[in-house]
Amino acid sequence: MEGKELLRMVPLFSDLNEEELGLLAQASSSAHFCKDQVILMEEEEGSTLFVIERGKVKVSVQDRQGREFVLAVLGQGDFFGEMSLLDGKPRSATVVALEDTTALTLRRGDFLSLIHRNPWVAVRLLEEMAWRIRVADSKMKSLALLDVTGRIVYSLLQMAEDGVRTPDGVLLPSRVTRQLLADMSGTSRETVSRTLGRLRDEGYICISGRRIVILKEKQLWEDFLLF
Ligand code: CMP
């Protein structure tokens, strides 16, 4: 998709007219990242905004032992890098490509002058940031109030939002590895494997190699997540 066409589909830029979209396309560049490539590092300086054209990225934080916690998985039309752009502080998280990813990049000065000319872009930005706080609050709630099985179920159901609906259930995307589920749920890969085995034995999910199908989405909510 051409730069301007992509920008038109990004919710952040949905209020821009043709002329503004053209100016924005001119001011932005395109960058390609291979699967597993680090795009941004937590604590690094930076002020570029990224808008995902194609692919998926993982946003995560790490402790000193290198243990990782996944904050979000972002895909086409989503943006990242806005926090350092806005407050001038170091990057709040590390962003890694989960698959081959192409993103448009915008420099701070160009983004701020865009907002200056089109204040609705700032409103859209606030809307998305409000949504991210809601998701983060809900994640905090799950971490504080759920046991490890509940947290893993919560992560499975989050990933199901991106899955393919089949007559049997929801097929999770292939990038949903046991390690990713562990890093999303604050636990180890071994615990995830054990828990998935239990959920399979109890008929909630079906596992075939690396493929996971959620068979009883509603029951998972009811049995593990009503808190
Ligand atoms: P920035 O701090 O510049 O660099 C890391 C980026 O990760 C950050 O901007 C946001 O775009 C993104 N990010 C940080 N925390 C979250 C979160 N909880 N949900 C989604 N994206 C996030």
Side-chain angles (χ1 to χ4, degrees):
M1 207 184 303
E2 201 204 318
K4 197 167 147 187
E5 297 309 308
L6 164 75
L7 291 171
R8 200 197 310 279
M9 296 178 65
V10 174
L12 185 61
F13 303 131
S14 58
D15 298 289
L16 296 184
N17 62 27
E18 283 297 304
E19 189 191 345
E20 281 294 349
L21 283 172
L23 289 174
L24 188 57
Q26 274 171 25
S28 60
S29 318
S30 187
H32 183 76
F33 304 97
C34 298
K35 181 174 180 317
D36 297 329
Q37 189 175 343
V38 176
I39 303 173
L40 296 180
M41 277 289 279
E42 188 179 348
E43 297 299 341
E44 262 179 15
E45 298 294 325
S47 58
T48 303
L49 177 78
F50 296 77
V51 181
I52 302 173
E53 188 173 2
R54 194 165 43 81
K56 292 270 176 201
V57 303
K58 173 180 76 171
V59 180
S60 66
V61 284
Q62 275 197 354
D63 69 4
R64 284 203 205 128
Q65 283 82 48
R67 284 181 308 186
E68 189 179 3
F69 182 63
V70 175
L71 299 169
V73 173
L74 304 176
Q76 190 179 45
D78 288 329
F79 59 84
F80 57 91
E82 78 293 348
M83 291 171 66
S84 296
L85 182 152
L86 290 170
D87 67 10
K89 295 199 165 56
R91 297 295 191 188
S92 60
T94 296
V95 180
V96 176
L98 279 179
E99 41 190 70
D100 285 359
T101 295
T102 310
L104 288 179
T105 62
L106 259 179
R107 287 184 306 262
R108 181 172 193 272
D110 291 320
F111 186 63
L112 293 185
S113 54
L114 173 76
I115 287 183
H116 193 71
R117 292 194 307 271
N118 303 276
W120 274 102
V121 173
V123 177
R124 299 284 166 246
L125 181 69
L126 289 170
E127 279 173 2
E128 174 60 24
M129 291 180 89
W131 170 250
R132 288 183 186 180
I133 292 176
R134 285 180 187 276
V135 174
D137 286 355
S138 150
K139 198 153 195 168
M140 253 191 293
K141 187 172 165 189
S142 83
L143 286 172
L145 302 179
L146 292 174
D147 63 8
V148 69
T149 306
R151 299 202 305 268
I152 293 168
V153 168
Y154 180 82
S155 302
L156 281 172
L157 293 172
Q158 270 190 314
M159 288 291 100
E161 286 170 21
D162 258 0
V164 177
R165 302 214 162 244
T166 72
D168 295 332
V170 187
L171 170 64
L172 298 190
S174 57
R175 64 176 179 283
V176 181
T177 60
R178 283 150 181 74
Q179 188 62 55
L180 180 65
L181 288 169
D183 294 340
M184 290 175 74
S185 316
T187 187
S188 65
R189 204 169 65 83
E190 293 68 29
T191 304
V192 168
S193 295
R194 246 196 335 273
T195 306
L196 291 182
R198 208 192 99 201
L199 293 172
R200 180 199 52 212
D201 295 345
E202 292 173 6
Y204 291 103
I205 63 172
C206 161
I207 306 174
S208 147
R210 302 183 74 177
R211 285 163 47 105
I212 303 173
V213 178
I214 298 187
L215 303 173
K216 296 180 181 167
E217 196 177 4
K218 192 156 164 274
Q219 259 105 323
L220 280 174
W221 275 106
E222 284 172 3
D223 295 352
F224 296 94
L225 298 185
L226 284 186
F227 49 61

